[in-house]
Amino acid sequence: MASLHRITTPQTQRSPIILEVGMMFVKVGFAGDSAPIAIVPSLGRLPNGNLTRLFGPMRLAQRMEILTTFLSDLYFKVLLCNARDRKVVVLLNPFEPHDIEKALLAVLLTVLEVPGVSLVSPHMTIFPAIGIIHTGLIIDIGSVTRIIPVAHNAAIVGSWEVLPHIGFSGLVRFVKEGLSTGCDIRRIRLPSDDSAYSEDSAEMSSIDSIESLKQSINVEELCLELVNRWLACTTSKRSRKIATGEPYGPDFPPFPDINRLTVEAGEKRVELRICGTFLEKIMETFFQHDLDGNSLPSAILEVILKCPIDLRRAMMENMIVVGGVAAVKNFLPRLNAELSVAARDSSFVEKLRQPKFRFVSTQKIPTNIVGWRGCSVLTHADYFPPNACFSREDYMLRATPHNVSSLLKEWCYVGKDRRVSRC
């Protein structure tokens, strides 16, 4: 993503690099920019040439080797600058495994030799990006869903909630399970040939079976395409009609089909036709109860009840939804309607009197870069004090196998006293 606007800085000052590390994407750019220079998938290349997730389960040495290649490419192909010239502010989710922090700092400070690294939680920079609000509820819908109550730009420890089965990973799982019945393969194209084979041709049956092709489809790529271009949330009233099996009619038309959508399936490219009834059910995974009885609206209400009673009204009236899935059409109106219905449940009606839910608009900021822009603004304004930066000299002097774990728990704190918080 190209930079929209850069705030002017003195020529003698080099803008730090803002690096937001996510499970699906990495966003990188310079402090003072209103948007990242690039948003790249969090994929690294193994020695055998295969691609793997940067932050999947693996040994520390292997993760450092993959990160070294990945970050070097970012510097020399995207940022076009010397790593030794600029400090780095890393936006890293504190819920991620601790060895990710360890590998990132080791690669940045010892291999690339950056002068200093600061660790910042992306959830603490969201409110500074959109206005003067400092207390509210952050609903981050990424690979998983995280619900974090924030008071005066500090997270309320013990009240947050992580929903691993609700989010982009849940969409991928639902689509993968429904591919056999929810879509048809129209055409197949080989990478070495420009000829296309229709579904009813004899050549197609000799290439591969339909079911094996569906199993080899890159489901993550398919879900990204659906989220960015095709998906939309249905209304609560229409959802209840679908659940009861009401037949379609003039006043209740079906969701339109996708007639042509090209995705990768192994070494081939296939053209899919996805049924509209299947598309309409994908976003319902956020509002249906799982085996534990949890859904996104009920989890939000439970987090609000965990907060101190004097902060609950602010949490309900200052809710902000971020993440790539939050940009799906009609998602916020549907979530607001489901929250109102869930608040009338017997388990919440006595504790939440006359609830009024209000979502804070991100204005013109895309929902997937709100945290990045907030950190860009704070870093450019020299908000973080000097002791918030973990210098290379300090790392080389103090870091040993016995105390490196305690050193890597230093995080920048976005609060009134501008201190550095240490876990």
Side-chain angles (χ1 to χ4, degrees), residues 269-326:
R269 301 282 295 179
V270 297
E271 191 176 281
L272 299 178
R273 184 187 68 84
I274 303 181
C275 152
T277 55
F278 175 68
L279 283 173
E280 198 168 16
K281 294 178 182 178
I282 293 178
M283 292 302 295
E284 293 299 308
T285 56
F286 288 93
F287 309 107
Q288 294 175 348
H289 293 274
D290 58 13
L291 297 177
D292 297 328
N294 296 325
S295 65
L296 181 58
S298 62
I300 292 173
L301 295 178
E302 289 175 359
V303 170
I304 292 175
L305 290 178
K306 292 179 184 179
C307 298
I309 192 170
D310 58 329
L311 294 177
R312 292 177 185 174
R313 179 65 58 183
M315 296 297 167
M316 290 186 287
E317 295 181 352
N318 295 324
M319 294 194 294
I320 177 170
V321 184
V322 297
V325 184

Side-chain angles (χ1 to χ4, degrees), residues 95-111:
F95 297 99
E96 304 300 346
H98 181 60
D99 63 336
I100 294 179
E101 306 168 33
K102 187 184 298 186
L104 274 172
L105 281 178
V107 171
L108 288 172
L109 293 172
T110 62
V111 180

